Each structure stands twice: as structure tokens, then as C-alpha cells.
Amino acid sequence: MENRRSLIAGNWKMFKTSSDAIDTVKEIVRRLKQVIDIDIMIAPPFISISSVAYIAGQSNIAIGAQNLFWEKEGAYTGEISAPMLLSVGCRYVIIGHSERRQYFGETDETVNKKMRAAINYDLTPILCIGESEKERESKDTFSVLDKQVKKGLKGFSKENLKKLVLAYEPIWAIGTGKTATSNQAQEVHRFLRLLLEKNFGNMLAESTRIIYGGSVKPDNINELMAMDDVDGALVGGASLSAETFCKIVNFKR
Ligand code: 13P
């Protein structure tokens, strides 16, 4: 089996003022200095990216954005482009988070355009997909994910997708305290890997990291990471405290 490097990513969503963000990242950098065997990423709010990236500097903590706009520049009030993100030291970008789909009108089509921008500028895209509770109950999980992946990745070749990270975030598990069981996560991640294989071949499927998000905590990370096809976690609430985030990064391996 391909040796995929684990990725633990923190999505701070709309939390933390700039000074809180600075304090937290300082603490994370200090506590995780020794961790060199996995990738670690923090995505603060836009306004803090620059200072947080400066503090993270050459450390093992990479910085990401929670969103981007697909144009390079222009009269798009309130938006931020890929080259702007690169210019402040951002290396990752989260695309198509369910909260953006739910509250800000993102569709598979806009997600696809954002993916294009990230890839063109060599940012590492974390493409988020996931089903709602209703869709799971009506047994539509796989068809929903199939559509989100195919439309989100439409028009790309396997060469384009070398850096792709897929984040499976079941909507019913986000911020609810309900985690998918490790078996539920594994089942879906396996499905996603086979879907990648069918569309882009075995090499890409085996090298792509598929991470899980939805109420990840220090007490469920070990079980999740023990699954064959779970290559990391996208952590919301539990990434806001340096202490809990670092416990998650230090999962059992
Ligand atoms: P929680 O960890 O707060 O459930 O959030 C998950 C998430 O949405 C990460 O992007």
C-alpha cells in the first residue's frame, strides 16, 4: 500500500481575533516542534493569515485559507485570490466546506472554479465533501459524494490533482459532537478511493490523502487514524485550543 503522509489540519472557521490567533499559533508551534513525521496545517480567518504565517515561518506548521475566489484580481469586493494567499505564505486552501455550500451559495460549479484557481497557483486544495443527515438516512450517501467529487474535479487530469486532499465531512457530524464511527469513516473513504481510481487511475487513488472531519477530538482520533483509508483529520472546534489540537496531532502511531 502507498505510504501516505498523514495530515492533521485545523479549520478555525470564524473564530479568534488577530491577537488570539497569534497567541494560539505561537503555542502550537512551541508544542509541536518535534513532530516531523506528519503534515500539520492551520487555517485561520483571512485577516490573521499573514501574521500567523509569519510566526509559523519555517516551522513544521503550514498555513491555509478557508476559502478563495477564482479570479486573479479585479472588482470583486470582499474576495481574496490565490496569488494573494500565496503572497502571505499560505500553502493550502479549503474548498467547498459544507458551511460555505449551506450559507454562502457555493455549488459544485463554483467549487470546480475554485479548484482550478488553487491548482493553477500550486496551492494544495482540500476539497470538502459530505452528505446531510437526511441523505444518509435515505441511503444517498454514496450518490451524493459521487456527484460532489465528479463535479468538483471535472476537467482535471491526474497530473493536475497530484496535491489534492479530499476531506470527507459528513454534515451531521460537524459541530454536533456526533462523530462518524471509525468504520463508517473507513467505508466512505474506501468508496472515495475507489472512485478516484475509476476516474484517475490507481496511482492517484493510492497517493491522495483522504482526511476525515466532524467532531474529531483527542479521544476519537486514534480510532479514526487506525483505519486504512483515513489519512488525517480536518478539525474544527477542537483545533481552537492549542492544547487539544496538539493532543490530536500526537495521535497514537
Ligand atoms: P468540528 O470539528 O467542529 O465538528 O468541525 C469540523 C469541520 O467542519 C472542519 O472543517
Side-chain angles (χ1 to χ4, degrees):
M1 204 180 72
E2 185 79 26
N3 214 354
R4 292 179 292 270
R5 199 172 153 87
S6 303
L7 167 65
I8 303 290
N11 173 11
W12 284 356
K13 307 191 180 184
M14 198 177 74
F15 289 99
K16 293 189 189 293
T17 60
S18 193
S19 65
D20 291 342
I22 289 170
D23 290 347
T24 311
V25 80
K26 275 186 183 157
E27 186 63 17
I28 290 174
V29 168
R30 190 183 67 77
R31 286 176 185 245
L32 296 179
K33 245 187 232 133
Q34 319 296 345
V35 181
I36 49 166
D37 57 336
I38 67 166
D39 290 340
I40 306 165
M41 187 279 270
I42 294 286
F46 279 134
I47 60 146
S48 301
I49 289 180
S50 178
S51 40
V52 162
Y54 182 76
I55 290 160
Q58 300 305 312
S59 77
N60 51 343
I61 314 294
I63 303 305
Q66 300 173 18
N67 182 28
L68 86 174
F69 187 59
W70 55 81
E71 294 292 345
K72 181 175 158 227
E73 60 182 10
Y76 301 105
T77 302
E79 296 296 321
I80 304 284
S81 71
M84 290 173 183
L85 293 177
L86 281 177
S87 74
V88 287
C90 212
R91 286 178 31 216
Y92 286 78
V93 61
I94 298 171
I95 295 178
H97 192 282
S98 62
E99 288 149 15
R100 297 221 49 91
R101 296 181 193 249
Q102 188 178 350
Y103 306 126
F104 303 99
E106 292 218 350
T107 61
D108 289 324
E109 288 67 34
T110 58
V111 164
N112 184 259
K113 288 185 179 180
K114 292 180 177 196
M115 284 293 300
R116 170 73 61 200
I119 288 164
N120 283 348
Y121 284 91
D122 212 25
L123 285 159
T124 298
I126 302 184
L127 171 59
C128 298
I129 51 176
E131 82 286 6
S132 67
E133 186 152 39
K134 206 163 134 234
E135 288 161 343
R136 176 160 281 262
E137 276 166 7
S138 56
K139 307 218 177 314
D140 290 328
T141 299
F142 293 139
S143 63
V144 167
L145 295 171
D146 183 272
K147 179 173 145 284
Q148 288 175 342
V149 170
K150 282 194 187 139
K151 290 194 161 181
L153 300 182
K154 193 169 163 206
F156 297 118
S157 66
K158 58 176 188 273
E159 285 72 31
N160 294 147
L161 299 176
K162 282 200 176 113
K163 288 189 164 181
L164 171 71
V165 176
L166 272 188
Y168 170 55
E169 297 206 307
I171 296 168
W172 49 270
I174 296 178
T176 58
K178 271 195 220 169
T179 330
T181 63
S182 45
N183 285 325
Q184 280 173 326
Q186 169 60 25
E187 184 190 26
V188 170
H189 285 220
R190 189 75 219 147
F191 166 81
L192 293 170
R193 205 173 299 289
L194 293 175
L195 186 60
L196 287 176
E197 181 173 344
K198 227 183 345 184
N199 288 278
F200 301 101
N202 179 263
M203 286 254 284
L204 190 87
E206 283 299 319
S207 62
T208 300
R209 290 177 295 181
I210 306 178
I211 65 177
Y212 170 80
S215 299
V216 173
K217 303 274 177 317
D219 61 9
N220 57 27
I221 186 71
N222 290 339
E223 221 187 301
L224 286 161
M225 292 304 289
M227 296 290 124
D228 275 356
D229 290 290
V230 177
D231 305 314
L234 184 53
V235 187
S239 72
L240 295 172
S241 131
E243 190 186 347
T244 13
F245 183 66
C246 296
K247 279 191 187 152
I248 293 172
V249 170
N250 288 318
F251 69 88
K252 191 161 162 279
R253 45 191 183 273

